[in-house]
């Protein structure tokens, strides 16, 4: 408490000093004459403009260098590399524009400060100049749009035929995963079947669903495309996997999709980063409630052999959590209820 | 034609030296007996339910300043959590009680702070506080009108804003707190009461507050447009209007066309929440039970929201464009460079504002082809923006710059607008947006380009027109200190956030403990928090300067302290209701004849010299 009081007192005293200083300069200004005071503050502020430009540029390049390692994470997916290269090109052009305009702005502010006897130049217009600085940005932007859209349609286009499929469902506040079992098909699910025990509402009447398994960790095969089928059961979430440059909302009532090809295994990444505990993480990137910041999933990228070995150990969800439990009875009840509702609906439509 | 008996342009003239005066259409009218001599004003009609646009401007400004203080303080509090995670500050528990148990801010409270910070700053400060203040103050004064087209609606506009403020303020004191679902209020999070503590009563208050706010904004906007179109004084053609007037006019048009859509979205959300409709809700299972809602679409809300939301950011920045253009030209003692290009680029931005909204939704599962159209249209916005930046820089080139605090803020604005605008080129390109969406890069982008920039525009405006508002001068030294701390501090806060965004750090995270991918910025977060506190305290200098100067500032000795051309400076110091004591001024030339033919400045009311044309 005493420290708080001391801090408050210090702030108040500091404010008083500044305030007195300000008052004093006002009196001095009156004594010295306004013009002289204005000339002096023009000189000081114009110099500060130059100081700001120089120190600002030093801080900019120093901090860029300092944080370079943390921020330039090399993408670990095929399309991620395309995006990173686009980012660099955009940075190149905007960087030129940034330096050109900021230096111009502060340099002119420093150079053309008010001085006695000098007149400003009456220069209201120059159509040629204005045409140039319309056309040049337009050309650069066109180039960026063309490259951007070319890549965009590749990224959002249909997934390759040999892709594996993983269903990922968001709920407050974790992710649920589902893989096709031996049949290679993920069974049907719908929200009417959701219970505490059947988190994504799998329809066990669909034979394809019987061998689906629901691991707690996502396993992917290196250099093999994967399609994520993304769902949510309560509010909007977002599957964000920064290393793979993946981000896609999970929206209740809608299935979204995103496919990508991981290029670096977890083991390789552990070597590359020097971090023996490295894991790929899924972060929720859309505010989903008060537990949003803890909504994490993890991914292991491995070779095909390792993956197959892992998949062989996975028990079907039905066998593991439903068969012979109270959940099986619950599902049967829900199934019956749904059937009746559908029949009633069909009957009413016949009338 | 306006009936002179009811026209506000004519019916409130006090100082009756002149026996004739002109209305906006340039017609001569006899003064109305009984109207012009003793316009009775008591405390209530002068300071509370005032219909004088100048007083309403001050009401908007001071209410906006109050909300800026509250909204800024909220951000300082949540920055404490980000900078010093899990560190106990007992004083927080003393102040906030159950929201900060053990002196650590709870996640519920954190999300409430974040949500209300965004809502208050975007709508209550940078929309109402900025447009409300300067449209009210400057439109009648700069076009030569005695007041707004409808002073009564104008008064209502403020009081609707005030009611909205009361509702928003009240929501902080609800048992479950104010809304905590983000300022964008996406359903189902905002649509289902049990999804989050602040999604219960707090969200209903938020929606009602926003609805009242929208009424206020529409009443104001209608008035601004009508005033500019109908009440310009003789000679004030559209092509002779100062850029402030153009900017505020375009802003009002944008608001009028887009705010009703948000009102619609909010009403549907109120229905979904309270009477069981399913506009936005479908297939939801939450807290162990399924909701009956069926067939809605959560993404529909985002379309409606951003159809306002994107024009909204231009509603925030356009007035700043206008204020800054005016301040730069006046203090560089040079005409604004490319007056026509400045107007055309604002018009282009306004048109594009309506066709870029889905760039906020690239990763919602939007049809990729639709997204591609929005990429193209979004990046088009960069062209008029670039024109504006080049023109501002060309304006100070070869100038004779007077560094008033307003001018410093105008230059600071251009710097911020460049820094924040350029990062928009990354985000507008959908492929790159996949990486940067919802990260700190976005926070850096919009805080710099519309938060800080608009604030700088507002500060430039307040320092520049303070003498017009109160007949006194603000203290320059305090202004200079305020500027330099804010300028350096704002960059220290927001620039490093780009780096965090590039590392993928998501926004709206209460802590980064759970993720090894994002936990390397602890030191940087601390730095940002300290910078935020510094900048917040620097704003107190401004507040002290402002309120002290209202009562004790140096009295203005001349009518036109900045030697400006625009006609608000032809009104007397402390002008009464009606603005000009005698006839309304007649305008002969554009407002930017600075340093022309060896003359320091030539006010708009100066008749043309031989061989001169009205333009330039």
């Amino acid at each position: 408490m005493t420290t708080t009081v001391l801090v408050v007192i210090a702030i108040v005293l500091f404010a008083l000093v500044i305030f007195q200083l300000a008052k004093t300069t006002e009196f001095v200004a009156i004594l010295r004459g306004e013009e002289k005071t204005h000339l002096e503050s023009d000189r000081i502020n114009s110099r500060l403009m130059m100081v700001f430009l120089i120190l600002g540029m030093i801080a900019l390049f120093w901090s860029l260098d300092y944080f370079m390692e943390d921020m330039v994470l090399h993408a670990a997916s095929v399309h991620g590399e395309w995006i990173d290269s686009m980012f660099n090109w955009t940075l190149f052009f905007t960087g030129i524009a940034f330096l050109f305009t900021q230096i111009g702005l502060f340099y002119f502010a420093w150079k053309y400060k008010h001085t006695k006897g000098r007149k400003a130049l009456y220069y209201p217009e120059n159509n040629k100049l204005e045409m140039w600085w319309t056309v040049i940005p337009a050309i650069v932007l066109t180039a960026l749009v063309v490259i951007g859209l070319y890549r965009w349609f590749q990224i959002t286009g249909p997934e390759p035929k040999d892709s594996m499929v993983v269903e990922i469902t968001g709920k407050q506040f974790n992710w649920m995963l589902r893989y096709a079992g031996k049949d290679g098909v993920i069974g049907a699910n719908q929200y009417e079947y959701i219970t505490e025990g059947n988190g994504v509402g799998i329809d066990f009447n669909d034979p394809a669903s019987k061998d689906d398994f629901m691991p707690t960790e996502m396993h992917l095969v290196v250099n093999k495309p994967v399609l994520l089928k993304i769902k949510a059961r309560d509010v909007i979430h977002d599957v964000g996997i920064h290393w793979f440059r993946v981000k896609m909302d999970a929206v209740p009532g809608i299935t979204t999709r995103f496919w990508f090809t991981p290029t670096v295994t977890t083991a390789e990444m552990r070597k590359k980063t020097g971090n023996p505990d490295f894991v790929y993480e899924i972060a929720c990137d859309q505010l989903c409630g008060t537990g949003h910041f803890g909504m994490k999933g993890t991914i292991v990228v491995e070779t095909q052999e390792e993956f197959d070995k892992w998949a062989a150990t996975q028990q079907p969800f039905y066998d593991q959590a439903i068969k012979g439990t109270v959940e099986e009875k619950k599902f049967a009840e829900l199934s019956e209820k749904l059937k009746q509702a559908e029949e009633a609906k069909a009957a009413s439509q016949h009338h | 034609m306006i009936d002179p008996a009811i026209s506000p342009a004519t019916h409130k003239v006090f100082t009756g030296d002149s026996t004739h005066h002109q209305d906006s259409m340039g017609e001569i009218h006899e003064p109305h007996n009984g109207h012009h001599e003793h316009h009775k004003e008591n405390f209530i009609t002068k300071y509370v339910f005032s219909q004088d646009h100048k007083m309403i401007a001050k009401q908007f400004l001071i209410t906006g300043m109050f909300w800026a203080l509250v909204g800024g303080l909220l951000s300082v509090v949540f920055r404490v959590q980000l900078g010093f995670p899990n560190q106990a500050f007992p004083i927080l528990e003393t102040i906030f009680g159950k929201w900060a148990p053990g002196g650590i801010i709870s996640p519920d409270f954190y999300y409430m702070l974040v949500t209300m910070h965004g809502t208050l700053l975007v709508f209550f400060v940078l929309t109402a506080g900025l447009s409300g203040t300067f449209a009210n103050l400057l439109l009648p004064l700069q076009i030569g009108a005695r007041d707004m087209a409808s002073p009564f609606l104008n008064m209502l506009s403020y009081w609707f804003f005030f009611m909205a403020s009361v509702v928003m303020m009240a929501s902080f004191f609800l048992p479950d707190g104010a809304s905590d679902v983000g300022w964008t209020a996406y359903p189902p999070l905002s649509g289902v009461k049990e999804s989050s503590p602040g999604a219960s009563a707090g969200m209903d208050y938020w929606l009602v507050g926003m609805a009242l706010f929208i009424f206020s904004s529409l009443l104001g906007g209608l008035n601004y447009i009508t005033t500019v179109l109908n009440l310009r004084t003789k000679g004030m053609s559209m092509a002779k209007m100062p850029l402030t007037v153009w900017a505020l006019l375009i802003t009002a048009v944008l608001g009028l066309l887009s705010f009703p859509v948000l009102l619609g979205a909010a009403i549907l959300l109120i229905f979904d929440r309270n009477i069981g409709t399913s506009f936005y809700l479908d297939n939801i299972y939450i807290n162990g039970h399924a909701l009956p809602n069926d067939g809605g679409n959560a993404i529909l809300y985002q379309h409606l929201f951003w159809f306002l939301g994107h024009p909204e950011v231009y509603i925030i920045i356009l007035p700043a464009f206008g204020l800054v253009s005016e301040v730069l030209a006046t203090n560089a003692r040079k005409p604004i460079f490319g007056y026509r290009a400045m107007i055309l680029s604002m018009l282009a931005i306004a048109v594009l504002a309506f066709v870029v909204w889905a760039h906020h939704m690239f990763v919602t599962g939007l049809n990729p082809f639709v997204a591609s159209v929005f990429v193209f249209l979004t990046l088009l916005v960069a062209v008029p923006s670039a024109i504006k930046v080049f023109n501002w820089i060309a304006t100070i080139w070869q100038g004779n710059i007077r560094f008033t605090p307003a001018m410093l803020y105008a230059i600071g604005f251009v710097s911020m607008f460049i820094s924040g605008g350029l990062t928009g080129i990354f985000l507008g390109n959908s492929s790159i947006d996949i990486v940067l969406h919802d990260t700190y890069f976005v926070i850096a982008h919009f805080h710099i380009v519309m938060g800080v920039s608009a604030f700088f525009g507002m500060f430039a405006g307040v320092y520049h027109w303070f003498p017009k508002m109160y007949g006194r001068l603000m203290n320059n030294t305090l202004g200079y200190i305020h500027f330099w701390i804010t300028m350096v501090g704002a960059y220290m806060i927001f620039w490093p956030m780009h780096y965090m965004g590039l590392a993928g750090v998501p926004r709206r995270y209460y802590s980064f403990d759970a993720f090894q991918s994002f936990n390397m910025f602890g030191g940087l977060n601390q730095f940002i928090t300290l910078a935020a506190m510094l900048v917040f305290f620097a704003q107190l200098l401004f507040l002290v300067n402002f309120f002290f100067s209202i009562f004790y500032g140096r009295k203005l000795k001349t009518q036109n302290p900045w030697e400006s051309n625009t006609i608000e400076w032809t009104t007397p110091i402390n002008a009464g209701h009606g603005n000009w004591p005698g006839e309304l001024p007649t305008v002969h030339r554009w407002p930017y004849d600075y340093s022309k033919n060896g003359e320091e400045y030539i006010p708009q009311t100066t008749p043309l010299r031989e061989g001169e044309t009205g333009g330039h």
Side-chain angles (χ1 to χ4, degrees), chain B residues 378-515:
Chain B
T378 299
L379 293 200
L380 269 187
V381 180
V383 175
S385 306
I387 294 173
K388 296 200 79 75
V389 166
F390 289 129
N391 284 7
W392 283 319
I393 295 175
T395 301
I396 64 169
W397 174 74
Q398 291 267 331
N400 197 17
I401 302 170
R402 298 173 179 178
F403 286 94
T404 61
M407 183 62 170
L408 291 177
Y409 270 107
I411 293 171
F413 167 91
V414 178
S415 171
M416 287 289 170
F417 187 70
I418 294 167
S419 300
L422 287 171
T423 50
I425 294 173
F426 295 81
L427 294 165
N429 217 336
S430 52
S431 310
I432 304 180
D433 184 61
I434 295 171
V435 188
L436 300 176
H437 190 88
D438 267 333
T439 65
Y440 269 76
F441 193 92
V442 177
I443 304 212
H445 163 70
F446 74 75
H447 274 92
I448 294 176
V449 80
M450 78 167 201
V452 179
S453 295
F455 257 104
F456 276 29
M458 196 165 165
F459 284 132
V462 172
Y463 280 110
H464 192 78
W465 279 282
F466 185 88
K468 193 70 259 164
M469 284 191 249
Y470 295 101
R472 290 173 187 268
L473 290 161
M474 286 176 79
N475 182 294
N476 272 357
T477 311
L478 281 182
Y480 294 141
I481 298 173
H482 173 227
F483 169 76
W484 283 110
I485 296 180
T486 309
M487 175 84 173
V488 174
Y491 267 122
M492 291 200 308
I493 296 169
F494 296 113
W495 188 269
M497 288 188 185
H498 292 116
Y499 305 152
M500 294 172 65
L502 286 172
V505 179
R507 61 192 287 207
R508 292 170 170 168
Y509 266 37
Y510 166 76
S511 100
F512 302 105
D513 291 351
F515 291 84

Side-chain angles (χ1 to χ4, degrees), chain A residues 74-78 80-81 242-245 260-264 269 280:
Chain A
H74 292 286
S77 66
V78 173
E81 284 164 30
H242 187 66
W243 283 95
F244 300 144
R245 308 300 191 243
F260 63 98
T261 311
T263 53
V264 187
M269 201 54 115
Y280 289 113

Side-chain angles (χ1 to χ4, degrees), chain A residues 38-250:
Chain A
H38 282 160
L39 281 173
E40 190 177 292
S41 69
D42 288 342
R43 205 176 62 232
I44 294 171
N45 281 298
S46 71
R47 280 189 190 158
L48 284 174
M49 287 278 162
M50 190 38 99
V51 170
F52 181 82
L53 175 66
I54 293 168
L55 291 185
M57 286 296 162
I58 292 171
L60 166 65
F61 286 103
W62 174 82
S63 64
L64 253 175
D65 183 59
Y66 185 86
F67 289 109
M68 191 63 93
E69 217 170 305
D70 286 331
M71 63 178 168
V72 184
L73 306 166
H74 292 286
S77 66
V78 173
H79 80 275
E81 284 164 30
W82 304 338
I83 294 180
D84 286 1
S85 123
M86 269 179 63
F87 180 91
N88 291 337
W89 276 108
T90 311
L91 186 62
F92 174 75
F93 288 116
T94 54
I96 292 173
F98 176 85
L99 292 176
F100 184 66
T101 48
Q102 296 279 17
I103 291 173
L105 176 72
F106 288 103
Y107 174 74
F108 293 158
W110 169 74
K111 180 143 198 256
Y112 299 111
K113 68 167 186 295
H114 177 67
T115 40
K116 234 174 156 176
R118 198 164 59 79
K119 280 264 174 265
L121 177 71
Y122 183 81
Y123 194 66
E125 209 154 37
N126 179 335
N127 287 334
K128 215 170 173 182
L129 206 59
E130 287 177 83
M131 189 199 73
W132 279 116
W133 62 48
T134 309
V135 169
I136 293 174
I139 291 170
V140 172
L141 287 164
T142 308
L144 292 176
V145 169
V146 168
I147 304 169
L149 291 184
Y150 171 70
R151 290 306 193 191
W152 173 249
F153 285 119
Q154 275 183 306
I155 295 167
T156 58
E159 72 281 4
K161 284 216 174 62
D162 61 336
S163 302
M164 62 187 280
V165 182
V166 182
E167 183 191 88
I168 177 165
T169 306
K171 77 176 201 3
Q172 289 179 330
F173 296 97
N174 51 47
W175 299 103
M176 295 174 290
L177 304 170
R178 189 154 65 119
Y179 281 72
K182 295 193 181 66
D183 61 356
V185 181
I186 294 180
N189 71 335
Q190 63 190 88
Y191 118 103
E192 284 87 347
Y193 290 128
I194 297 177
T195 59
E196 284 308 285
N198 184 7
V200 297
I202 301 176
D203 178 359
F204 297 108
N205 298 326
D206 179 1
S209 69
K210 285 270 168 51
D211 63 346
D212 294 352
F213 60 91
M214 296 186 67
T216 51
E217 192 169 46
M218 189 187 287
H219 282 244
L220 301 176
V221 177
V222 69
N223 295 326
K224 182 171 183 178
V226 53
L227 171 69
L228 297 183
K229 287 192 170 169
I230 301 165
K231 299 180 179 190
R233 73 172 206 195
D234 41 32
V235 300
I236 300 178
H237 303 274
D238 183 288
V239 179
I241 316 168
H242 187 66
W243 283 95
F244 300 144
R245 308 300 191 243
V246 168
K247 204 166 284 157
M248 182 52 72
D249 280 357

Side-chain angles (χ1 to χ4, degrees), chain B residues 164-462:
Chain B
S165 298
V166 170
V167 174
M168 281 293 174
M169 196 71 206
S171 74
F172 281 104
F173 300 97
L174 291 167
D176 282 332
S179 169
D180 66 355
V181 298
W183 77 277
T184 51
Y186 284 178
L189 189 62
S190 63
V192 179
K193 293 189 178 188
E194 56 196 298
S195 68
S196 179
S200 53
M203 192 60 212
D204 284 321
Y205 274 59
W206 189 92
L207 287 165
V208 171
M210 282 309 300
L212 289 168
F213 180 88
I214 293 168
F215 284 128
S216 152
S217 174
L218 295 179
L219 291 173
L222 272 173
N223 229 333
Y224 307 152
I225 296 168
T226 317
T227 304
V228 174
L229 294 184
N230 291 308
L231 298 186
R232 298 192 311 278
T233 189
K234 193 178 176 193
M236 180 62 85
S237 63
M238 298 289 273
K240 289 200 185 73
M241 295 195 314
L243 287 173
T244 31
V245 176
W246 270 106
L248 291 163
L249 171 66
I250 295 169
T251 304
V253 174
L254 278 181
L256 198 62
L257 294 177
S258 62
F259 264 117
V261 178
L262 180 65
L263 185 59
I267 289 171
L268 299 188
L269 191 53
I270 291 174
F271 287 172
D272 270 12
R273 292 170 52 80
N274 296 306
I275 62 172
T277 56
S278 302
F279 289 104
Y280 307 127
L281 307 180
D282 186 25
N283 289 6
I284 290 166
Y285 181 92
I286 195 163
N287 283 349
H289 63 99
L291 301 184
N293 304 71
D294 190 26
N297 186 329
I299 302 300
L300 168 65
Y301 173 87
Q302 298 189 22
H303 281 291
L304 296 176
F305 180 86
W306 287 114
F307 189 83
L308 156 91
H310 202 78
E312 169 64 18
V313 305
Y314 298 132
I315 289 171
I316 286 173
I317 205 67
L318 279 166
F321 284 175
L323 299 170
V324 163
S325 301
E326 192 60 36
V327 170
L328 279 178
T330 305
N331 289 295
R333 312 311 293 162
K334 272 190 67 188
I336 192 79
F337 186 82
Y339 173 74
R340 252 168 304 186
M342 289 305 236
I343 296 169
L344 287 174
S345 58
M346 280 197 282
L347 287 170
I349 289 172
V351 171
L352 288 171
F354 286 103
V355 289
V356 297
W357 78 88
H359 70 217
H360 298 270
M361 301 165 58
F362 286 147
V363 301
T364 55
L366 191 70
N367 179 317
F369 175 73
V370 174
S372 72
V373 176
F374 281 95
V375 171
F376 172 70
L377 292 166
T378 299
L379 293 200
L380 269 187
V381 180
V383 175
S385 306
I387 294 173
K388 296 200 79 75
V389 166
F390 289 129
N391 284 7
W392 283 319
I393 295 175
T395 301
I396 64 169
W397 174 74
Q398 291 267 331
N400 197 17
I401 302 170
R402 298 173 179 178
F403 286 94
T404 61
M407 183 62 170
L408 291 177
Y409 270 107
I411 293 171
F413 167 91
V414 178
S415 171
M416 287 289 170
F417 187 70
I418 294 167
S419 300
L422 287 171
T423 50
I425 294 173
F426 295 81
L427 294 165
N429 217 336
S430 52
S431 310
I432 304 180
D433 184 61
I434 295 171
V435 188
L436 300 176
H437 190 88
D438 267 333
T439 65
Y440 269 76
F441 193 92
V442 177
I443 304 212
H445 163 70
F446 74 75
H447 274 92
I448 294 176
V449 80
M450 78 167 201
V452 179
S453 295
F455 257 104
F456 276 29
M458 196 165 165
F459 284 132
V462 172

